[in-house]
PDB file of all heavy atoms in Angstrom:
ATOM      1  N   ASP A  82      51.176 -10.362 -18.906  1.00 97.00           N
ATOM      2  CA  ASP A  82      50.960 -10.338 -17.459  1.00 97.00           C
ATOM      3  C   ASP A  82      51.906 -11.334 -16.789  1.00 97.00           C
ATOM      4  O   ASP A  82      51.614 -12.527 -16.680  1.00 97.00           O
ATOM      5  CB  ASP A  82      49.506 -10.690 -17.159  1.00 97.00           C
ATOM      6  CG  ASP A  82      49.233 -10.760 -15.670  1.00 97.00           C
ATOM      7  OD1 ASP A  82      50.153 -10.514 -14.879  1.00 97.00           O
ATOM      8  OD2 ASP A  82      48.092 -11.059 -15.303  1.00 97.00           O
ATOM      9  N   GLN A  83      53.018 -10.798 -16.328  1.00 96.00           N
ATOM     10  CA  GLN A  83      54.035 -11.698 -15.763  1.00 96.00           C
ATOM     11  C   GLN A  83      53.607 -12.329 -14.448  1.00 96.00           C
ATOM     12  O   GLN A  83      54.171 -13.340 -14.023  1.00 96.00           O
ATOM     13  CB  GLN A  83      55.354 -10.922 -15.555  1.00 96.00           C
ATOM     14  CG  GLN A  83      56.009 -10.503 -16.858  1.00 96.00           C
ATOM     15  CD  GLN A  83      56.434 -11.709 -17.694  1.00 96.00           C
ATOM     16  OE1 GLN A  83      56.971 -12.672 -17.177  1.00 96.00           O
ATOM     17  NE2 GLN A  83      56.140 -11.680 -18.989  1.00 96.00           N
ATOM     18  N   THR A  84      52.627 -11.748 -13.801  1.00 96.00           N
ATOM     19  CA  THR A  84      52.206 -12.313 -12.511  1.00 96.00           C
ATOM     20  C   THR A  84      51.697 -13.736 -12.683  1.00 96.00           C
ATOM     21  O   THR A  84      51.720 -14.529 -11.747  1.00 96.00           O
ATOM     22  CB  THR A  84      51.098 -11.473 -11.847  1.00 96.00           C
ATOM     23  OG1 THR A  84      49.896 -11.564 -12.610  1.00 96.00           O
ATOM     24  CG2 THR A  84      51.516 -10.021 -11.732  1.00 96.00           C
ATOM     25  N   ILE A  85      51.223 -14.040 -13.891  1.00 96.00           N
ATOM     26  CA  ILE A  85      50.774 -15.398 -14.184  1.00 96.00           C
ATOM     27  C   ILE A  85      51.848 -16.411 -13.820  1.00 96.00           C
ATOM     28  O   ILE A  85      51.578 -17.438 -13.191  1.00 96.00           O
ATOM     29  CB  ILE A  85      50.447 -15.519 -15.687  1.00 96.00           C
ATOM     30  CG1 ILE A  85      49.209 -14.691 -16.028  1.00 96.00           C
ATOM     31  CG2 ILE A  85      50.253 -16.970 -16.087  1.00 96.00           C
ATOM     32  CD1 ILE A  85      47.987 -15.118 -15.260  1.00 96.00           C
ATOM     33  N   PHE A  86      53.061 -16.097 -14.208  1.00 96.00           N
ATOM     34  CA  PHE A  86      54.153 -17.038 -13.938  1.00 96.00           C
ATOM     35  C   PHE A  86      54.466 -17.116 -12.449  1.00 96.00           C
ATOM     36  O   PHE A  86      54.778 -18.187 -11.918  1.00 96.00           O
ATOM     37  CB  PHE A  86      55.393 -16.638 -14.735  1.00 96.00           C
ATOM     38  CG  PHE A  86      55.211 -16.789 -16.218  1.00 96.00           C
ATOM     39  CD1 PHE A  86      55.440 -15.729 -17.081  1.00 96.00           C
ATOM     40  CD2 PHE A  86      54.808 -18.003 -16.772  1.00 96.00           C
ATOM     41  CE1 PHE A  86      55.266 -15.875 -18.457  1.00 96.00           C
ATOM     42  CE2 PHE A  86      54.641 -18.150 -18.142  1.00 96.00           C
ATOM     43  CZ  PHE A  86      54.863 -17.083 -18.978  1.00 96.00           C
ATOM     44  N   ASN A  87      54.373 -15.981 -11.786  1.00 97.00           N
ATOM     45  CA  ASN A  87      54.583 -16.008 -10.333  1.00 97.00           C
ATOM     46  C   ASN A  87      53.590 -16.947  -9.667  1.00 97.00           C
ATOM     47  O   ASN A  87      53.945 -17.792  -8.851  1.00 97.00           O
ATOM     48  CB  ASN A  87      54.415 -14.605  -9.741  1.00 97.00           C
ATOM     49  CG  ASN A  87      55.374 -13.600 -10.354  1.00 97.00           C
ATOM     50  OD1 ASN A  87      56.409 -13.982 -10.888  1.00 97.00           O
ATOM     51  ND2 ASN A  87      55.026 -12.336 -10.289  1.00 97.00           N
ATOM     52  N   ILE A  88      52.329 -16.765 -10.044  1.00 97.00           N
ATOM     53  CA  ILE A  88      51.277 -17.577  -9.453  1.00 97.00           C
ATOM     54  C   ILE A  88      51.515 -19.054  -9.735  1.00 97.00           C
ATOM     55  O   ILE A  88      51.436 -19.898  -8.843  1.00 97.00           O
ATOM     56  CB  ILE A  88      49.917 -17.158 -10.033  1.00 97.00           C
ATOM     57  CG1 ILE A  88      49.609 -15.712  -9.661  1.00 97.00           C
ATOM     58  CG2 ILE A  88      48.829 -18.073  -9.540  1.00 97.00           C
ATOM     59  CD1 ILE A  88      48.376 -15.188 -10.341  1.00 97.00           C
ATOM     60  N   CYS A  89      51.829 -19.355 -10.986  1.00 96.00           N
ATOM     61  CA  CYS A  89      52.051 -20.749 -11.361  1.00 96.00           C
ATOM     62  C   CYS A  89      53.217 -21.336 -10.589  1.00 96.00           C
ATOM     63  O   CYS A  89      53.166 -22.492 -10.145  1.00 96.00           O
ATOM     64  CB  CYS A  89      52.295 -20.867 -12.859  1.00 96.00           C
ATOM     65  SG  CYS A  89      50.799 -20.683 -13.834  1.00 96.00           S
ATOM     66  N   ASP A  90      54.251 -20.550 -10.406  1.00 96.00           N
ATOM     67  CA  ASP A  90      55.406 -21.053  -9.668  1.00 96.00           C
ATOM     68  C   ASP A  90      55.043 -21.386  -8.229  1.00 96.00           C
ATOM     69  O   ASP A  90      55.469 -22.411  -7.690  1.00 96.00           O
ATOM     70  CB  ASP A  90      56.543 -20.020  -9.707  1.00 96.00           C
ATOM     71  CG  ASP A  90      57.205 -19.972 -11.083  1.00 96.00           C
ATOM     72  OD1 ASP A  90      57.032 -20.932 -11.854  1.00 96.00           O
ATOM     73  OD2 ASP A  90      57.885 -18.978 -11.382  1.00 96.00           O
ATOM     74  N   ILE A  91      54.248 -20.524  -7.632  1.00 97.00           N
ATOM     75  CA  ILE A  91      53.837 -20.795  -6.249  1.00 97.00           C
ATOM     76  C   ILE A  91      53.070 -22.108  -6.183  1.00 97.00           C
ATOM     77  O   ILE A  91      53.305 -22.956  -5.323  1.00 97.00           O
ATOM     78  CB  ILE A  91      52.964 -19.630  -5.707  1.00 97.00           C
ATOM     79  CG1 ILE A  91      53.812 -18.359  -5.579  1.00 97.00           C
ATOM     80  CG2 ILE A  91      52.342 -20.005  -4.380  1.00 97.00           C
ATOM     81  CD1 ILE A  91      53.018 -17.144  -5.122  1.00 97.00           C
ATOM     82  N   VAL A  92      52.148 -22.271  -7.134  1.00 97.00           N
ATOM     83  CA  VAL A  92      51.349 -23.492  -7.151  1.00 97.00           C
ATOM     84  C   VAL A  92      52.229 -24.717  -7.383  1.00 97.00           C
ATOM     85  O   VAL A  92      52.083 -25.742  -6.719  1.00 97.00           O
ATOM     86  CB  VAL A  92      50.250 -23.408  -8.231  1.00 97.00           C
ATOM     87  CG1 VAL A  92      49.619 -24.759  -8.468  1.00 97.00           C
ATOM     88  CG2 VAL A  92      49.202 -22.401  -7.811  1.00 97.00           C
ATOM     89  N   CYS A  93      53.160 -24.594  -8.319  1.00 96.00           N
ATOM     90  CA  CYS A  93      54.045 -25.724  -8.608  1.00 96.00           C
ATOM     91  C   CYS A  93      54.848 -26.111  -7.372  1.00 96.00           C
ATOM     92  O   CYS A  93      54.936 -27.290  -7.023  1.00 96.00           O
ATOM     93  CB  CYS A  93      54.999 -25.379  -9.745  1.00 96.00           C
ATOM     94  SG  CYS A  93      54.223 -25.479 -11.356  1.00 96.00           S
ATOM     95  N   ASP A  94      55.426 -25.119  -6.727  1.00 96.00           N
ATOM     96  CA  ASP A  94      56.205 -25.410  -5.525  1.00 96.00           C
ATOM     97  C   ASP A  94      55.347 -26.118  -4.488  1.00 96.00           C
ATOM     98  O   ASP A  94      55.759 -27.106  -3.889  1.00 96.00           O
ATOM     99  CB  ASP A  94      56.759 -24.106  -4.932  1.00 96.00           C
ATOM    100  CG  ASP A  94      57.844 -23.505  -5.809  1.00 96.00           C
ATOM    101  OD1 ASP A  94      58.286 -24.195  -6.745  1.00 96.00           O
ATOM    102  OD2 ASP A  94      58.239 -22.355  -5.558  1.00 96.00           O
ATOM    103  N   ARG A  95      54.184 -25.595  -4.313  1.00 96.00           N
ATOM    104  CA  ARG A  95      53.282 -26.156  -3.314  1.00 96.00           C
ATOM    105  C   ARG A  95      52.928 -27.605  -3.652  1.00 96.00           C
ATOM    106  O   ARG A  95      52.906 -28.475  -2.790  1.00 96.00           O
ATOM    107  CB  ARG A  95      52.024 -25.295  -3.248  1.00 96.00           C
ATOM    108  CG  ARG A  95      50.922 -25.846  -2.386  1.00 96.00           C
ATOM    109  CD  ARG A  95      51.295 -25.852  -0.917  1.00 96.00           C
ATOM    110  NE  ARG A  95      50.242 -26.476  -0.125  1.00 96.00           N
ATOM    111  CZ  ARG A  95      50.435 -27.092   1.032  1.00 96.00           C
ATOM    112  NH1 ARG A  95      51.653 -27.178   1.541  1.00 96.00           N
ATOM    113  NH2 ARG A  95      49.435 -27.641   1.677  1.00 96.00           N
ATOM    114  N   LEU A  96      52.653 -27.852  -4.920  1.00 95.00           N
ATOM    115  CA  LEU A  96      52.313 -29.217  -5.331  1.00 95.00           C
ATOM    116  C   LEU A  96      53.493 -30.157  -5.101  1.00 95.00           C
ATOM    117  O   LEU A  96      53.315 -31.288  -4.652  1.00 95.00           O
ATOM    118  CB  LEU A  96      51.886 -29.233  -6.802  1.00 95.00           C
ATOM    119  CG  LEU A  96      50.514 -28.650  -7.084  1.00 95.00           C
ATOM    120  CD1 LEU A  96      50.252 -28.596  -8.585  1.00 95.00           C
ATOM    121  CD2 LEU A  96      49.424 -29.490  -6.418  1.00 95.00           C
ATOM    122  N   ARG A  97      54.661 -29.674  -5.421  1.00 95.00           N
ATOM    123  CA  ARG A  97      55.859 -30.485  -5.173  1.00 95.00           C
ATOM    124  C   ARG A  97      55.952 -30.858  -3.698  1.00 95.00           C
ATOM    125  O   ARG A  97      56.157 -32.026  -3.350  1.00 95.00           O
ATOM    126  CB  ARG A  97      57.110 -29.704  -5.586  1.00 95.00           C
ATOM    127  CG  ARG A  97      57.763 -30.212  -6.868  1.00 95.00           C
ATOM    128  CD  ARG A  97      59.107 -29.570  -7.084  1.00 95.00           C
ATOM    129  NE  ARG A  97      59.033 -28.143  -7.370  1.00 95.00           N
ATOM    130  CZ  ARG A  97      58.791 -27.641  -8.592  1.00 95.00           C
ATOM    131  NH1 ARG A  97      58.632 -28.447  -9.616  1.00 95.00           N
ATOM    132  NH2 ARG A  97      58.727 -26.347  -8.779  1.00 95.00           N
ATOM    133  N   ASP A  98      55.778 -29.870  -2.838  1.00 93.00           N
ATOM    134  CA  ASP A  98      55.813 -30.140  -1.401  1.00 93.00           C
ATOM    135  C   ASP A  98      54.811 -31.213  -1.021  1.00 93.00           C
ATOM    136  O   ASP A  98      55.128 -32.158  -0.309  1.00 93.00           O
ATOM    137  CB  ASP A  98      55.465 -28.855  -0.622  1.00 93.00           C
ATOM    138  CG  ASP A  98      56.675 -27.955  -0.451  1.00 93.00           C
ATOM    139  OD1 ASP A  98      57.732 -28.301  -1.020  1.00 93.00           O
ATOM    140  OD2 ASP A  98      56.553 -26.933   0.229  1.00 93.00           O
ATOM    141  N   GLN A  99      53.593 -31.021  -1.505  1.00 92.00           N
ATOM    142  CA  GLN A  99      52.523 -31.964  -1.142  1.00 92.00           C
ATOM    143  C   GLN A  99      52.869 -33.371  -1.579  1.00 92.00           C
ATOM    144  O   GLN A  99      52.690 -34.328  -0.827  1.00 92.00           O
ATOM    145  CB  GLN A  99      51.209 -31.536  -1.793  1.00 92.00           C
ATOM    146  CG  GLN A  99      50.467 -30.472  -1.010  1.00 92.00           C
ATOM    147  CD  GLN A  99      49.060 -30.274  -1.533  1.00 92.00           C
ATOM    148  OE1 GLN A  99      48.671 -30.897  -2.525  1.00 92.00           O
ATOM    149  NE2 GLN A  99      48.302 -29.429  -0.881  1.00 92.00           N
ATOM    150  N   LEU A 100      53.350 -33.490  -2.810  1.00 92.00           N
ATOM    151  CA  LEU A 100      53.669 -34.815  -3.329  1.00 92.00           C
ATOM    152  C   LEU A 100      54.792 -35.441  -2.519  1.00 92.00           C
ATOM    153  O   LEU A 100      54.755 -36.634  -2.186  1.00 92.00           O
ATOM    154  CB  LEU A 100      54.064 -34.720  -4.801  1.00 92.00           C
ATOM    155  CG  LEU A 100      52.906 -34.426  -5.745  1.00 92.00           C
ATOM    156  CD1 LEU A 100      53.413 -34.277  -7.167  1.00 92.00           C
ATOM    157  CD2 LEU A 100      51.876 -35.542  -5.680  1.00 92.00           C
ATOM    158  N   GLU A 101      55.776 -34.637  -2.170  1.00 91.00           N
ATOM    159  CA  GLU A 101      56.895 -35.131  -1.380  1.00 91.00           C
ATOM    160  C   GLU A 101      56.401 -35.635  -0.025  1.00 91.00           C
ATOM    161  O   GLU A 101      56.776 -36.725   0.424  1.00 91.00           O
ATOM    162  CB  GLU A 101      57.897 -33.989  -1.193  1.00 91.00           C
ATOM    163  CG  GLU A 101      59.340 -34.432  -1.080  1.00 91.00           C
ATOM    164  CD  GLU A 101      60.256 -33.221  -1.136  1.00 91.00           C
ATOM    165  OE1 GLU A 101      60.281 -32.541  -2.190  1.00 91.00           O
ATOM    166  OE2 GLU A 101      60.905 -32.948  -0.125  1.00 91.00           O
ATOM    167  N   THR A 102      55.576 -34.818   0.601  1.00 90.00           N
ATOM    168  CA  THR A 102      55.052 -35.193   1.914  1.00 90.00           C
ATOM    169  C   THR A 102      54.287 -36.504   1.844  1.00 90.00           C
ATOM    170  O   THR A 102      54.451 -37.394   2.673  1.00 90.00           O
ATOM    171  CB  THR A 102      54.120 -34.080   2.451  1.00 90.00           C
ATOM    172  OG1 THR A 102      54.829 -32.855   2.449  1.00 90.00           O
ATOM    173  CG2 THR A 102      53.653 -34.410   3.845  1.00 90.00           C
ATOM    174  N   ARG A 103      53.454 -36.603   0.821  1.00 83.00           N
ATOM    175  CA  ARG A 103      52.657 -37.828   0.668  1.00 83.00           C
ATOM    176  C   ARG A 103      53.545 -39.033   0.410  1.00 83.00           C
ATOM    177  O   ARG A 103      53.317 -40.110   0.913  1.00 83.00           O
ATOM    178  CB  ARG A 103      51.683 -37.665  -0.496  1.00 83.00           C
ATOM    179  CG  ARG A 103      50.306 -37.252  -0.021  1.00 83.00           C
ATOM    180  CD  ARG A 103      49.342 -37.167  -1.169  1.00 83.00           C
ATOM    181  NE  ARG A 103      48.644 -35.881  -1.155  1.00 83.00           N
ATOM    182  CZ  ARG A 103      47.949 -35.397  -2.169  1.00 83.00           C
ATOM    183  NH1 ARG A 103      47.880 -36.084  -3.290  1.00 83.00           N
ATOM    184  NH2 ARG A 103      47.338 -34.249  -2.066  1.00 83.00           N
ATOM    185  N   GLN A 104      54.545 -38.777  -0.430  1.00 88.00           N
ATOM    186  CA  GLN A 104      55.504 -39.823  -0.761  1.00 88.00           C
ATOM    187  C   GLN A 104      56.145 -40.365   0.516  1.00 88.00           C
ATOM    188  O   GLN A 104      56.205 -41.573   0.737  1.00 88.00           O
ATOM    189  CB  GLN A 104      56.576 -39.221  -1.683  1.00 88.00           C
ATOM    190  CG  GLN A 104      57.829 -40.057  -1.840  1.00 88.00           C
ATOM    191  CD  GLN A 104      57.559 -41.266  -2.704  1.00 88.00           C
ATOM    192  OE1 GLN A 104      56.661 -41.237  -3.532  1.00 88.00           O
ATOM    193  NE2 GLN A 104      58.321 -42.319  -2.494  1.00 88.00           N
ATOM    194  N   MET A 105      56.573 -39.429   1.378  1.00 89.00           N
ATOM    195  CA  MET A 105      57.228 -39.853   2.610  1.00 89.00           C
ATOM    196  C   MET A 105      56.250 -40.566   3.530  1.00 89.00           C
ATOM    197  O   MET A 105      56.594 -41.570   4.148  1.00 89.00           O
ATOM    198  CB  MET A 105      57.836 -38.643   3.316  1.00 89.00           C
ATOM    199  CG  MET A 105      59.148 -38.192   2.694  1.00 89.00           C
ATOM    200  SD  MET A 105      59.745 -36.662   3.419  1.00 89.00           S
ATOM    201  CE  MET A 105      59.694 -37.059   5.165  1.00 89.00           C
ATOM    202  N   ALA A 106      55.058 -40.042   3.599  1.00 81.00           N
ATOM    203  CA  ALA A 106      54.044 -40.664   4.450  1.00 81.00           C
ATOM    204  C   ALA A 106      53.794 -42.094   4.002  1.00 81.00           C
ATOM    205  O   ALA A 106      53.688 -43.017   4.817  1.00 81.00           O
ATOM    206  CB  ALA A 106      52.749 -39.852   4.383  1.00 81.00           C
ATOM    207  N   PHE A 107      53.740 -42.262   2.698  1.00 77.00           N
ATOM    208  CA  PHE A 107      53.494 -43.590   2.153  1.00 77.00           C
ATOM    209  C   PHE A 107      54.653 -44.526   2.469  1.00 77.00           C
ATOM    210  O   PHE A 107      54.464 -45.665   2.896  1.00 77.00           O
ATOM    211  CB  PHE A 107      53.296 -43.500   0.636  1.00 77.00           C
ATOM    212  CG  PHE A 107      53.063 -44.827  -0.016  1.00 77.00           C
ATOM    213  CD1 PHE A 107      51.857 -45.481   0.126  1.00 77.00           C
ATOM    214  CD2 PHE A 107      54.064 -45.423  -0.763  1.00 77.00           C
ATOM    215  CE1 PHE A 107      51.640 -46.711  -0.472  1.00 77.00           C
ATOM    216  CE2 PHE A 107      53.863 -46.643  -1.356  1.00 77.00           C
ATOM    217  CZ  PHE A 107      52.649 -47.295  -1.215  1.00 77.00           C
TER     218      PHE A 107
END
Side-chain angles (χ1 to χ4, degrees):
Chain A
D82 177 1
Q83 292 296 317
T84 68
I85 292 300
F86 293 125
N87 302 337
I88 297 173
C89 285
D90 286 342
I91 293 177
V92 168
C93 282
D94 290 350
R95 173 67 184 153
L96 287 175
R97 253 190 293 277
D98 277 5
Q99 277 191 357
L100 288 177
E101 211 170 296
T102 305
R103 263 183 231 165
Q104 165 73 26
M105 282 173 52
F107 179 74

